[in-house]
Amino acid sequence: MTTPAPAPHEGLCAKLLRGWRGARSLNALQALAPYDRDRVLADAGLTDLTAPAVLRASHVGALLPAAMALHGVNGAAVEQDRPDLMNDLQRVCALCRSARTCRHLLAEGCTQPEHALLCPNADTLDALR
């Protein structure tokens, strides 16, 4: 099985998500020396508590770009100018408990105000406009 090619503009969280899926990924992360694991997690804005949820979050790659577009944010520009902010957006999206509802709203063509009621990244996305 091959790993999919990276998107032209993707943050560290997205790279971790793409490259470290499931239990094997968590095992690899846990196998690192504590100092190295802490550095990898800190670089991605994660902790030992949040890493498992983020590594299992397959929805980020589809929902975050759609949400950014809906809110009028150029994701490629954010990735280029503020990769730290993109990592934070990805982490928040990965930890969101409303991914299923978000997917349905975006698929149905919701409005930005409708989506903003649900999205924990809404304030940040609106500030980026």
Side-chain angles (χ1 to χ4, degrees):
M1 183 170 147
T2 62
T3 302
H9 298 286
E10 73 177 352
L12 182 58
C13 284
K15 290 175 187 172
L16 286 172
L17 290 170
R18 181 177 43 76
W20 286 1
R21 288 275 179 229
R24 182 185 298 172
S25 302
L26 291 173
N27 290 340
L29 186 61
Q30 291 301 324
L32 293 173
Y35 176 78
D36 293 333
R37 182 177 58 249
D38 290 346
R39 286 185 53 197
V40 168
L41 292 174
D43 285 348
L46 301 173
T47 67
D48 279 328
L49 296 175
T50 59
V54 170
L55 292 173
R56 291 186 181 108
S58 60
H59 63 275
V60 175
L63 298 184
L64 184 58
M68 292 178 88
L70 179 65
H71 287 260
V73 175
N74 180 334
V78 173
E79 177 62 35
Q80 182 176 359
D81 299 338
R82 294 288 311 274
D84 58 324
L85 182 58
M86 182 60 88
N87 284 339
D88 187 53
L89 290 166
Q90 291 167 339
R91 180 183 50 78
V92 170
C93 185
L95 296 173
C96 180
R97 295 180 181 212
S98 301
R100 184 182 308 231
T101 304
C102 180
R103 184 181 312 277
H104 291 292
L105 282 174
L106 292 170
E108 293 170 0
C110 69
T111 65
Q112 181 273 333
E114 290 172 322
H115 186 262
L117 293 173
L118 169 79
C119 182
N121 275 323
D123 290 339
T124 303
L125 294 175
D126 290 343
L128 288 169
R129 262 192 281 157

